[in-house]
């Protein structure tokens, strides 16, 4: 490398033919700084020399930013030296700390170490963490950690509230290791944050305080975790009930809307000597039982036996659509779903019931009455019923599937029309189906505009028809 930093950097300050001059990002967006670096490197060619940098304010600052990203390592190294003491260019110094040229990298690291304090560390954290994903990016992350370990709590709070989830994860890892957040604060974050890594990190740290004998802390942690919106966090709180000696509280979550929470509740209840299956059977056992919830209905299927299907069949006619949908899902889970009992539910006014019914009928789609299903694809039927019937017809295959697809190719509903086109493109004669069906030939001719001539001839040949 060279020692004449001003002269080398000057090589990029003169007028450059071609693209417009580069300008450093005005905002602190880390993606903008990285994009600026990549753009300059891809476009910057060394122009004719010009006078060396002096100390002019804005224009030369922008030119120095270009030099920091130049494709020539000698230019970048010299620019790093000139950029020392210019805080506006510190983001590009952070980028150069992961430079692939060792002298550039070493000089940038020295400048960053001498410059980075608590305030600049917080401002640069999003960029440093992004650069840290690169090869040779570990230095900046390590230095950031060193500075923030010594920073006041107020600086750390800025990271904990950052909208960038990578920054929040980094901040909460530091906060947990330093123990600066109370268990109740950690539990509140686990219940509130939308990032699963932060949820798990904070929930695990908060649960470490459960079972240590401090009743007030336990109450604060469990109330927040058990009331969380996300299933993962509620499940963590339910599991912690056993460690806190409050296993009886898990019974209230046996019919939770989330399968993960129900599974944890059943575990805690069993460990305390209870029988979750008996509880579910009581909730689903008839008119004298308490009104079941969807979670209780599907919960019975999750831990019950095939014989429990007798309790679920009456619930497919329940007034509540959530109960009906859960009953159908439960019958499918127990593998006791019968097509004759479920087919009428395709006409259910609730789309969720119809969706569960389709899922239960798909394994037997080939044996369903094609004419009855075809009637339900008519334009006067509700859209969810038409879509469900068409899906079953396509799954059943054969001429009925092609007939339904061709009928919907000109349907006013755009989504059904698109699905019909896809069904035509995927259609093949069913294995074992009679060869030479003239109806199939006529239907293939009707969708020639979708398949094309070659594909129509090929499918006719596969169906045993003249081409």
């Amino acid at each position: 490398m060279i020692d004449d930093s001003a002269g080398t950097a000057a090589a990029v300050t003169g007028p450059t033919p071609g693209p417009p001059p580069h300008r450093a990002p005005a905002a602190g967006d880390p993606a903008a700084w990285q994009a600026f670096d990549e753009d300059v490197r891809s476009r910057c060619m060394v122009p004719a020399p010009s006078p060396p940098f002096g100390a002019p304010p804005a224009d030369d600052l922008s030119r120095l930013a270009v030099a920091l990203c130049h494709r020539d390592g000698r230019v970048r190294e010299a620019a790093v030296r000139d950029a020392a003491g210019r805080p506006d260019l510190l983001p590009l110094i952070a980028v150069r700390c992961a430079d692939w040229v060792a002298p550039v990298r070493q000089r940038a690291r020295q400048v960053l170490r001498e410059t980075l304090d608590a305030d600049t560390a917080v401002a640069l954290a999003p960029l440093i963490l992004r650069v840290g994903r690169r090869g040779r990016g570990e230095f900046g992350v390590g230095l950031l950690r060193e500075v923030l370990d010594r920073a006041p709590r107020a600086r750390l709070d800025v990271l904990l509230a950052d909208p960038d989830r990578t920054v929040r994860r980094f901040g909460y890892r530091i906060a947990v290791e330093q123990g600066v957040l109370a268990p109740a604060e950690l539990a509140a974050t686990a219940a509130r944050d939308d990032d699963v890594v932060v949820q798990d990190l904070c929930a695990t740290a908060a649960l470490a305080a459960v079972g240590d004998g401090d009743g007030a802390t336990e109450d604060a942690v469990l109330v927040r975790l058990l009331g969380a919106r996300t299933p993962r966090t509620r499940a963590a709180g339910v599991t912690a009930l056993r460690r806190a000696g409050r296993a009886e509280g898990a019974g209230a979550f046996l019919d939770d809307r989330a399968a993960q929470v129900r599974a944890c509740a059943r575990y805690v209840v069993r460990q305390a000597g209870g029988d979750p299956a008996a509880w579910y059977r009581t909730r689903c056992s008839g008119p004298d039982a308490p009104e079941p919830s969807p979670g209780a209905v599907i919960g019975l299927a999750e831990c019950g036996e095939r014989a429990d299907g007798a309790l679920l069949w009456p619930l497919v006619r329940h007034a509540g659509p959530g109960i009906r949908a859960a009953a159908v899902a439960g019958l499918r889970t127990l593998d006791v779903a019968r097509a004759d009992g479920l087919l009428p539910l395709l006409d259910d006014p609730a789309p969720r019931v119809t969706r569960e019914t389709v899922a239960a009928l798909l394994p037997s789609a080939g044996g369903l009455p094609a004419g009855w299903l075809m009637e339900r694809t008519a334009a006067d039927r509700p859209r969810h019923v038409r879509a469900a019937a068409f899906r079953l017809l396509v799954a059943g295959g054969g001429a009925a599937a092609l007939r339904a697809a061709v009928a919907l190719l000109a349907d006013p509903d755009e989504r059904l029309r698109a699905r019909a086109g896809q069904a035509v493109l995927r259609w093949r004669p069913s294995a074992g189906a009679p060869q030479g069906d003239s109806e199939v030939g006529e239907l293939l001719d009707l969708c020639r505009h979708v398949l094309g001539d070659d594909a129509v001839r090929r499918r006719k040949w596969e169906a045993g028809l003249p081409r």
Side-chain angles (χ1 to χ4, degrees), residues 277-433:
W279 185 89
Y280 287 128
R281 290 184 186 113
T282 300
R283 292 293 300 271
C284 302
S285 59
D288 296 332
E291 177 70 12
S293 64
V297 175
I298 191 63
L300 174 59
E302 289 168 343
C303 71
E305 304 170 352
R306 287 174 62 88
D308 292 318
L311 297 176
L312 298 183
W313 275 111
L315 296 177
V316 301
R317 298 184 295 274
H318 194 277
I323 302 295
R324 296 198 300 276
V328 175
L331 292 169
R332 176 167 58 92
T333 300
L334 292 172
D335 195 24
V336 294
R338 299 191 318 271
D340 59 339
L342 293 181
L343 265 179
L345 291 174
L346 279 183
D347 292 324
D348 197 282
R352 71 177 101 170
V353 179
T354 303
R355 284 194 298 269
E356 291 294 348
T357 303
V358 170
L361 292 175
L362 278 175
S364 56
L368 299 179
W372 188 88
L373 291 174
M374 194 69 187
E375 291 175 7
R376 276 143 187 81
T377 64
D380 59 346
R381 300 279 181 165
R383 190 194 178 281
H384 69 278
V385 174
R386 302 180 71 207
F390 179 62
R391 185 180 176 191
L392 290 172
L393 283 165
V394 170
L402 185 59
R403 188 184 311 121
V406 171
L408 293 177
L409 281 177
D411 196 86
D413 188 299
E414 182 179 356
R415 292 174 61 189
L416 279 176
R417 194 167 63 244
R419 291 181 185 179
Q422 291 297 317
V424 166
L425 292 171
R426 290 193 297 264
W427 185 87
R428 291 293 188 280
S430 301

Side-chain angles (χ1 to χ4, degrees), residues 399 402-403 406 409 427 436-449 451 456 460 463 465-466:
L402 185 59
R403 188 184 311 121
V406 171
L409 281 177
W427 185 87
D437 187 343
S438 60
E439 182 193 11
V440 169
E442 295 171 2
L443 291 171
L444 288 171
D445 287 332
L446 289 174
C447 55
R448 190 179 294 271
H449 63 290
L451 290 169
V456 168
K460 283 186 175 182
L465 293 164

